[in-house]
Amino acid sequence: QQMAQKYFIDYRDNRLYFPEDAYETLEKNYRERRYNSIEEYKKYIDDNRNEIATSVLSKYKVSEENGKKVYICLDQNNQYYFFTESSVMQYTVREGKYNIDPEGFEEEYNNSLDETKAVRDVNRFIAMINNKEYDFAYKILEENFKNENFKTLEEFKEYIKNTFFDDNNVGYDDAKENNGKYICEATIVDNSNESKESIKKTFEITLLEGTDFNISFNK
């Protein structure tokens, strides 16, 4: 517990005060997928500075990955941090819960029915929005849909902020296949219970290679 707390606080404070150092501690593959540059990383921190500054360790557990100890930390905002330790106080980190597949996820996903994959993909997309990692969500939008509705990332972010809740919880019927795509009628509610309203969305999912997918939805 002491080490989980140390890593959590060290990374949190580095993000706030030494973002260049924090950026270098991100796992290389994750960093290249998640952020295009240090400037993009700094902007994400500036946009979420208050949430980062007030984050505290809520839960943790320790596992092993490729022979190394991994501290899995969860804060009060349900944000995950995976710290892979190379030696004491030397670590790499990856963030978020949507793009960090738990052990066995890929095998379980690939053995699922396509309809089940589509449902899980909607959940993954909503998790990206909940984590405010809009650029990652933007990248998986179906290309024609993106070009017609959100020509820039900023347009997409503005739409999401004005349409969805801060913490979304989605319920839906099973996805139905239609011309090679999967249609999912969803009802989204405010997970924080601050709003009693609900949002109706129809998601269209295109399954790609492995666990990748594209998504579009009615505006």
Side-chain angles (χ1 to χ4, degrees), residues 13 16 39 47 60 62 73 80 83 105 107 146 161 164 175 195 212:
D13 291 351
L16 294 170
E39 286 73 23
D47 289 346
Y60 80 97
V62 183
C73 298
Y80 281 88
F83 297 95
F105 171 84
E107 180 179 359
K146 179 164 60 178
K161 290 177 181 179
F164 289 82
S195 173
D212 292 337

Side-chain angles (χ1 to χ4, degrees), residues 111-151:
N111 288 334
S112 299
L113 296 173
D114 286 348
E115 290 82 358
T116 302
K117 292 179 183 177
V119 167
R120 299 185 73 168
D121 291 338
V122 173
N123 279 333
R124 294 163 73 192
F125 178 73
I126 294 297
M128 296 177 197
I129 293 172
N130 286 345
N131 284 336
K132 297 181 173 59
E133 296 182 338
Y134 306 114
D135 49 350
F136 222 115
Y138 185 69
K139 289 175 183 176
I140 64 169
L141 295 179
E142 194 277 325
E143 199 65 26
N144 290 334
F145 170 76
K146 179 164 60 178
N147 292 336
E148 291 174 5
N149 295 281
F150 309 109
K151 296 188 183 304

Side-chain angles (χ1 to χ4, degrees), residues 1-201:
Q1 182 177 5
Q2 185 180 25
M3 291 309 300
Q5 182 79 354
K6 281 181 180 292
Y7 289 142
F8 181 86
I9 293 174
D10 185 66
Y11 181 61
R12 181 194 66 192
D13 291 351
N14 281 344
R15 292 168 94 190
L16 294 170
Y17 306 114
F18 308 102
E20 291 87 356
D21 293 343
Y23 185 72
E24 290 301 317
T25 65
L26 294 174
E27 288 188 3
K28 185 174 183 294
N29 289 339
Y30 168 78
R31 184 175 64 206
E32 291 174 351
R33 288 181 60 200
R34 174 66 181 85
Y35 302 103
N36 292 322
S37 65
I38 179 64
E39 286 73 23
E40 187 174 322
Y41 180 66
K42 287 180 177 179
K43 186 177 188 309
Y44 172 78
I45 292 171
D46 287 341
D47 289 346
N48 298 278
R49 183 164 292 274
N50 184 65
E51 185 174 306
I52 293 171
T54 57
S55 63
V56 294
L57 181 64
S58 175
K59 297 178 182 179
Y60 80 97
K61 73 175 183 178
V62 183
S63 65
E64 190 172 292
E65 186 176 293
N66 298 323
K68 294 183 178 180
K69 189 177 290 186
V70 179
Y71 293 83
I72 305 170
C73 298
L74 178 69
D75 71 12
Q76 82 278 18
N77 298 311
N78 292 320
Q79 174 78 16
Y80 281 88
Y81 305 86
F82 285 44
F83 297 95
T84 302
E85 182 183 68
S86 54
S87 60
V88 176
M89 291 308 296
Q90 297 295 317
Y91 62 84
T92 56
V93 62
R94 59 190 192 269
E95 313 157 352
K97 57 187 176 184
Y98 65 84
N99 56 4
I100 303 171
D101 298 330
E103 184 177 353
F105 171 84
E106 184 171 358
E107 180 179 359
E108 180 185 351
Y109 180 92
N110 288 330
N111 288 334
S112 299
L113 296 173
D114 286 348
E115 290 82 358
T116 302
K117 292 179 183 177
V119 167
R120 299 185 73 168
D121 291 338
V122 173
N123 279 333
R124 294 163 73 192
F125 178 73
I126 294 297
M128 296 177 197
I129 293 172
N130 286 345
N131 284 336
K132 297 181 173 59
E133 296 182 338
Y134 306 114
D135 49 350
F136 222 115
Y138 185 69
K139 289 175 183 176
I140 64 169
L141 295 179
E142 194 277 325
E143 199 65 26
N144 290 334
F145 170 76
K146 179 164 60 178
N147 292 336
E148 291 174 5
N149 295 281
F150 309 109
K151 296 188 183 304
T152 66
L153 172 60
E154 290 305 315
E155 288 182 18
F156 176 68
K157 287 169 63 174
E158 194 66 22
Y159 173 81
I160 295 298
K161 290 177 181 179
N162 292 333
T163 304
F164 289 82
F165 304 109
D166 284 339
D167 188 6
N168 301 276
N169 186 27
V170 59
Y172 36 75
D173 298 326
D174 291 339
K176 298 178 181 178
E177 191 271 338
N178 182 29
N179 293 326
K181 300 179 184 294
Y182 292 86
I183 310 301
C184 187
E185 302 289 341
T187 301
I188 300 168
V189 298
D190 186 356
N191 209 33
S192 68
N193 292 320
E194 291 184 6
S195 173
K196 301 302 181 184
E197 297 181 358
S198 62
I199 302 167
K200 298 288 187 181
K201 285 291 176 188

Side-chain angles (χ1 to χ4, degrees), residues 201-216:
K201 285 291 176 188
T202 301
F203 292 96
E204 185 175 273
I205 302 94
T206 303
L207 302 178
L208 303 176
E209 185 177 354
T211 61
D212 292 337
F213 66 99
N214 285 151
I215 194 167
S216 61

